[in-house]
Amino acid sequence: MIDLNNINKIYISPGYTDLRMGIDGYASLVEQVFGKNPFDNSLYLFCNKSRDKIKILHFEHDGFWLYYKRIETGTIKWPNKPLLEEIEIRQFRWLFDGLKINQKALKKCEATRII
């Protein structure tokens, strides 16, 4: 399982990606297309065109992990940004809970009295 406390950054790949690639293909994509270091202990998220599958590339200590998730019902709320985007841990969790990564923040509650 991914330990989110030890992750440097989380990046979400724009649009959709061909998920038939393996670790070397994704590492090459991260390095050559996005200009990032695939060995930097960050997560790189990729989604397919039908938005029901995700792959995550992650380098940890001495090797790569390639996580794969297939959504059985519904689709992933994948953003249509033109560039690689860095997201926060809470946005990562929202994505896997079926929510959009750009949720509106709750309004701050200013209590006036105690019941």
Side-chain angles (χ1 to χ4, degrees), residues 88 90-91 94 99-109:
E88 297 174 8
R90 67 183 174 146
Q91 292 174 303
W94 288 341
L99 302 171
K100 294 180 180 179
I101 62 170
N102 297 321
Q103 298 294 315
K104 292 182 180 179
L106 294 174
K107 291 183 180 178
K108 189 174 183 179
C109 177

Side-chain angles (χ1 to χ4, degrees), residues 30-90:
V30 166
E31 187 174 41
Q32 294 177 3
V33 176
F34 302 135
K36 300 290 181 185
N37 180 4
F39 299 96
D40 70 352
N41 196 31
S42 294
L43 299 181
Y44 296 93
L45 285 62
F46 304 93
C47 186
N48 67 337
K49 190 173 185 176
S50 59
R51 297 182 176 177
D52 63 349
K53 298 175 184 81
I54 290 181
K55 281 192 176 179
I56 302 172
L57 181 69
H58 174 217
F59 184 82
E60 182 181 54
H61 306 298
D62 60 353
F64 280 102
W65 285 96
L66 186 59
Y67 303 96
Y68 175 76
K69 181 166 185 169
R70 182 181 69 196
I71 307 301
E72 293 298 323
T73 58
T75 58
I76 301 160
K77 307 294 189 234
W78 200 258
N80 286 327
K81 303 283 184 175
L83 301 172
L84 186 72
E85 180 180 5
E86 183 179 343
I87 62 173
E88 297 174 8
I89 291 174
R90 67 183 174 146

